[in-house]
């Protein structure tokens, strides 16, 4: 592999002159510049990204640590992050934790050692991250999606899940449903608890009872929706409407109803949460609470950039407002 010294030797100039041309850091005459560029082409020379990053104190890379999930919501957020990185001239290094704490810590250490310019963490609370792990990188900008692993150390972007749960349940009530069940995520997940709290608040305000078995903690996965809906259908009095706290589980709910010959929107109303792209292509299309997934990813990068540019210093929490998207999975 050719080096800068090889380019300098072929062009008959000093290595510092080659560096000035490559980095455009000082005026060099056109004739000398042409010699250097010709040598670069002849040797197929590529500047060392590592060396340039050490000199500039920037790698132009962003690291992202992601909890493994079958939920397409994560993929749509990552797409927004990657697009925003590309538009700004940054590269994205994506690491998947597979819900394994050892793998999570190993991936995090890898990202930190690669000296990424900023870090986005989209993990769950089941395996918390130690603040001590960042002690060697005190000025590293960090954005957490949904929750913060430790107080006051990073920016947090989250949706108003309690309001979203309230909106979804009130919508079902407004359509005349009274036997309304809720399938939420794991008990140790902040957003799962908040969406369930919104459901409970709406039911209480309407004076409606939520019988035993109508509130199910699941896993935010396709399989969780299938298993939870099967349990609900086995109750002596099954619900006539279900608030499913993410769209991935709603897909499983659809399958459970289909397997028993029940029709979504006619026999049982279903409302989801997230508004993933798949939601509009289900049969019938899924009524859901919209989260702007692509915008969420871009907001994470915008927040990191502002931090890198010194435009704000104190950690901040940014809350997105959920909104209802009406489709055909809820009848009247």
């Amino acid at each position: 592999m050719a080096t800068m010294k090889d380019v300098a030797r072929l062009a008959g100039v000093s290595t510092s002159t080659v560096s000035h041309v490559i980095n455009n850091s000082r005026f060099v005459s056109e004739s000398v510049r042409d010699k250097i560029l010709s040598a670069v082409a002849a040797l197929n020379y590529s500047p060392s990204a590592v060396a340039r990053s050490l000199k500039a104190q920037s790698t132009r890379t962003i690291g992202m640590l992601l909890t493994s999930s079958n939920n397409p919501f994560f993929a749509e957020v990552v797409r927004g992050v990657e697009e925003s990185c590309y538009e700004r001239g940054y590269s994205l290094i994506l690491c998947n934790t597979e819900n394994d704490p050892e793998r999570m810590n190993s991936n995090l250490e890898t990202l930190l050692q690669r000296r990424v310019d900023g870090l986005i963490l989209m993990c769950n609370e089941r395996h918390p991250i130690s603040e001590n792990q960042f002690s060697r990188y005190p000025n590293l900008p960090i954005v957490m999606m949904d929750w913060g692993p430790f107080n006051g150390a990073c920016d947090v972007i989250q949706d108003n899940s309690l309001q979203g749960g309230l909106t979804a349940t009130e919508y079902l009530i407004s359509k005349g449903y009274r036997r309304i069940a809720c399938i939420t995520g794991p008990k140790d997940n902040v957003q799962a608890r908040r969406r369930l709290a919104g459901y409970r608040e709406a039911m209480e305000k309407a004076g409606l009872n939520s019988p035993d078995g109508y509130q199910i903690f699941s896993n935010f996965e396709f399989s969780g929706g299938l298993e939870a809906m099967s349990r609900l259908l086995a109750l002596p009095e099954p619900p006539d409407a279900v608030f499913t706290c993410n769209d991935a589980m709603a897909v499983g709910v659809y399958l459970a109803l289909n397997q028993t010959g029940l029709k979504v929107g006619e026999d049982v109303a279903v409302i989801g949460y997230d508004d993933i792209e798949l939601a509009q292509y289900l049969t019938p299309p899924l009524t859901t609470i919209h989260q702007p997934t692509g915008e969420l990813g871009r907001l994470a990068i915008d927040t990191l950039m502002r931090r890198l540019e010194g435009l704000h210093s104190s950690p901040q929490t940014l809350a997105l407002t959920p909104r209802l998207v009406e489709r055909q999975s809820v009848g009247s």
Side-chain angles (χ1 to χ4, degrees):
M1 182 179 293
T3 66
M4 189 177 292
K5 287 183 179 179
D6 295 328
V7 174
R9 189 180 301 111
L10 182 59
V13 298
S14 67
T15 54
S16 62
T17 302
V18 174
S19 176
H20 289 312
V21 169
I22 291 173
N23 294 299
N24 198 28
S25 55
R26 199 185 71 183
F27 173 76
V28 177
S29 68
E30 285 299 320
S31 60
V32 173
R33 180 181 293 273
D34 288 343
K35 285 183 180 180
I36 292 172
L37 293 179
S38 295
V40 167
L43 295 171
N44 195 28
Y45 170 70
S46 178
S48 168
V50 174
R52 295 178 71 178
S53 68
L54 288 173
K55 183 177 180 180
Q57 296 296 303
S58 171
T59 61
R60 305 292 294 182
T61 58
I62 300 297
M64 185 171 186
L65 200 61
L66 178 71
T67 297
S68 176
S69 175
N70 291 326
N71 184 356
F73 171 77
F74 290 98
E76 293 182 18
V77 172
V78 170
R79 183 170 61 190
V81 170
E82 194 279 330
E83 287 177 353
S84 188
C85 282
Y86 177 78
E87 291 168 359
R88 293 173 177 270
Y90 279 76
S91 298
L92 177 68
I93 302 177
L94 180 65
C95 293
N96 209 322
T97 72
E98 295 293 345
N99 280 313
D100 180 346
E102 184 176 340
R103 180 168 175 170
M104 178 181 71
N105 290 325
S106 175
N107 285 341
L108 180 58
E109 187 60 32
T110 296
L111 292 174
L112 294 174
Q113 289 182 4
R114 285 178 176 269
R115 306 185 69 84
V116 294
D117 292 342
L119 193 61
I120 298 174
L121 304 178
M122 200 170 187
C123 306
N124 60 42
E125 306 93 309
R126 199 167 302 161
H127 307 298
I129 299 170
S130 170
E131 187 172 359
N132 294 331
Q133 201 157 1
F134 297 95
S135 59
R136 288 172 291 142
Y137 311 92
N139 299 317
L140 179 68
I142 303 171
V143 170
M144 278 296 306
M145 313 292 274
D146 283 345
W147 67 285
F150 28 78
N151 293 327
C154 59
D155 297 306
V156 179
I157 299 174
Q158 60 188 24
D159 81 303
N160 190 339
S161 287
L162 189 147
Q163 181 60 50
L166 182 67
T167 298
T169 310
E170 287 181 338
Y171 177 72
L172 291 172
I173 294 170
S174 73
K175 291 293 186 178
Y177 295 99
R178 295 297 178 263
R179 301 195 316 276
I180 304 170
C182 178
I183 303 172
T184 191
K187 287 184 178 180
D188 57 4
N189 183 283
V190 169
Q191 302 301 2
R193 295 196 302 271
R194 288 174 178 166
R195 291 169 195 179
L196 177 61
Y199 158 83
R200 288 171 173 170
E201 182 178 333
M203 295 291 282
E204 184 177 347
K205 283 169 59 177
L208 297 176
N209 182 39
S210 181
D212 291 340
Y214 267 38
Q215 299 177 34
I216 299 179
F217 287 97
S218 188
N219 60 4
F220 276 151
E221 307 287 351
F222 299 114
S223 60
L226 173 62
E227 190 273 336
M229 192 66 227
S230 298
R231 286 166 56 187
L232 289 170
L233 292 173
L235 294 173
E237 188 176 31
D240 57 9
V242 181
F243 167 40
T244 310
C245 291
N246 79 342
D247 290 348
M249 291 193 300
V251 173
V253 168
Y254 269 51
L255 178 57
L257 292 171
N258 181 64
Q259 288 175 343
T260 55
L262 297 173
K263 293 185 177 180
V264 175
E266 295 182 22
D267 300 308
V268 180
V270 180
I271 185 169
Y273 203 111
D274 285 340
D275 195 22
I276 60 176
E277 187 175 0
L278 177 62
Q280 61 186 305
Y281 297 109
L282 294 174
T283 304
L286 177 66
T287 296
T288 187
I289 300 297
H290 175 77
Q291 283 202 86
T293 51
E295 290 85 346
L296 193 63
R298 285 186 283 275
L299 179 59
I301 294 300
D302 289 344
T303 304
L304 278 179
M305 292 300 108
R306 286 196 296 270
R307 175 75 65 181
L308 284 169
E309 295 163 4
L311 298 182
H312 64 74
S313 55
S314 59
Q316 57 181 345
T317 297
L318 305 174
L320 302 177
T321 301
R323 63 178 176 84
L324 177 72
V325 177
E326 296 184 66
R327 297 193 180 104
Q328 287 76 54
S329 64
V330 176
S332 57

